[in-house]
Structure formats: C-alpha cells, structure tokens
Amino acid sequence: MRIIALSTLRAFWTSSPAYADSIEPVMAWYREVLRADWATLNEVKGQFSSASILRDGRVVFNIAGNKYRLVVWINYAYRVVYIRFFGTHKQYDAIDAQNI
C-alpha cells in the first residue's frame, strides 16, 4: 500500500515531547501497512482485528494500546491509504472521524 502522508504523523510527534512515545508504535503500523496489499475491508480487519471500520473507506486504528488513534481513508482500487488524523484518544473524541 502507498501511504499519504507521513508528514501528518511526523507533525504530531514533533509537536510535543509528550508524544515521543508514539513514534515507535505508529512507525511499526506504517511499515506493516507499506507491506500490505488490501483489496477489501475484510483484509484490513484480518490484519488489524482491533481496527474500527467506518463508512466510505474510513478506518480507525488503535495505536500504542489505544493511547493514540489513527484515522485513514483507503482507496482500495489504487492501494492508497490517506492519513486523515493522528492524535490522542482525547483529541480523537473531539473530532468527527467520518468527516475529518
């Protein structure tokens, strides 16, 4: 899969020293998704059973034991994952994951 945009993740963990603990878990997710070749939501769930499936290709991943949330939009036909949001669980609760 192609992932757009790593800069969103980097901007988060560089925004505060308190978020430095997110680097390793989110980069582990990043490396795993780069090797993936998802054609359906079921394949995502097969690889990440704790992922939450939303409408219209949106998926929410729990990162670092659910301390962080990652919202993506997946274009299965082109094998592209677009990062829409990455933040703490509290920050996630303040957004509309379906429309961000």
Side-chain angles (χ1 to χ4, degrees):
M1 302 296 288
R2 228 172 79 214
I3 303 171
I4 301 173
L6 179 60
S7 61
T8 303
L9 303 175
R10 190 176 299 116
F12 176 79
W13 73 60
T14 59
S15 68
S16 169
Y19 302 142
D21 66 335
S22 69
I23 297 170
E24 287 304 315
V26 79
M27 288 308 295
W29 172 89
Y30 184 86
R31 288 186 296 272
E32 191 168 343
V33 173
L34 278 177
R35 292 187 304 270
D37 185 28
W38 300 324
T40 67
L41 289 171
N42 290 335
E43 292 175 359
V44 175
K45 282 297 277 184
Q47 190 166 356
F48 292 95
S49 60
S50 65
S52 299
I53 306 300
L54 305 179
R55 293 186 321 267
D56 302 324
R58 299 263 178 159
V59 180
V60 180
F61 293 94
N62 300 316
I63 305 293
N66 207 21
K67 183 174 181 181
Y68 299 101
R69 292 282 180 98
L70 174 62
V71 179
V72 303
W73 177 73
I74 303 173
N75 182 321
Y76 295 97
Y78 291 98
R79 305 301 199 263
V80 179
V81 176
Y82 297 90
I83 296 172
R84 305 300 301 151
F85 169 85
F86 182 62
T88 65
H89 201 288
K90 184 177 180 178
Q91 292 166 336
Y92 171 82
D93 288 342
I95 66 161
D96 178 1
Q98 190 62 56
N99 294 310
I100 195 162

